[in-house]
Amino acid sequence: MNTREIFSIRLKQLREARGLGIRELARGIGCNHSLISLYESQKREPTISILRKISDYFNVSADYLIGKIDEFR
């Protein structure tokens, strides 16, 4: 699997585990809901600042989100 695919899968898993919709997550990190949809469909990769917001929001490391490690923190 490539980084984009791993990121999209883990983002969706984290979002769904919290029972969040795409719009709710977007509001929570301060971005447009269409970006979350693009990330989850592997059509776009996040900027570093968005990656940091997502990792802070879910309290996981950026390394976990991009597949460098398999543990949350």
Side-chain angles (χ1 to χ4, degrees):
M1 268 192 276
N2 65 39
T3 302
R4 186 179 290 195
E5 186 176 0
I6 292 168
F7 174 76
S8 71
I9 290 168
R10 291 188 175 180
L11 175 62
K12 188 172 184 176
Q13 286 174 339
L14 289 166
R15 181 179 61 76
E16 289 179 343
R18 287 225 184 150
L20 298 170
I22 289 174
R23 290 179 187 270
E24 291 171 302
L25 174 56
R27 276 192 300 271
I29 64 169
C31 76
N32 190 295
H33 72 277
S34 62
L35 276 178
I36 303 299
S37 181
L38 290 170
Y39 300 151
E40 290 188 3
S41 64
Q42 301 177 36
K43 294 180 181 171
R44 189 162 176 185
E45 291 180 355
T47 63
I48 292 171
S49 63
I50 293 290
L51 182 62
R52 183 174 182 169
K53 287 179 181 183
I54 292 169
S55 70
D56 288 346
Y57 185 86
F58 288 113
N59 196 31
V60 299
S61 71
D63 284 347
Y64 171 75
L65 287 169
I66 64 170
K68 191 172 179 184
I69 62 172
D70 289 328
E71 295 98 30
F72 282 13
R73 277 238 174 230

